[in-house]
Amino acid sequence: MESGAGTVQLVTLGALLGRSGIQVWDLGMPMDYKKALGGVALPRDRYLPMLKRSYVDGDGLTREALLPRSPI
């Protein structure tokens, strides 16, 4: 595995997301370097329920409702 600025960014962001309680991080299409960093491709029937749970908290509020709206 090559290491460079992109690797440092992915690993650092992954650590920050994990510390923030983020459980699902969509890295896009599977690629060897993502797998080498611990990325796992999930089948759609496993991924979609995880994604749905990640957008709704215990009070039924979606994360989108809690985040500021983009001006664009």
Side-chain angles (χ1 to χ4, degrees), residues 6-49:
T7 300
V8 171
Q9 290 172 344
L10 280 175
V11 171
T12 303
L13 180 56
L16 291 170
L17 291 173
R19 287 182 184 174
S20 298
I22 302 298
Q23 297 177 356
V24 178
W25 180 16
D26 188 340
L27 295 172
M29 57 191 270
M31 299 182 87
D32 289 340
Y33 78 93
K34 295 173 188 177
K35 292 177 191 174
L37 294 172
V40 177
L42 295 176
R44 186 178 185 88
D45 63 335
R46 283 192 54 210
Y47 172 72
L48 290 178

Side-chain angles (χ1 to χ4, degrees), residues 54-65:
S54 75
Y55 272 89
V56 179
D57 68 16
D59 296 324
L61 295 173
T62 64
R63 302 275 186 257
E64 294 162 335

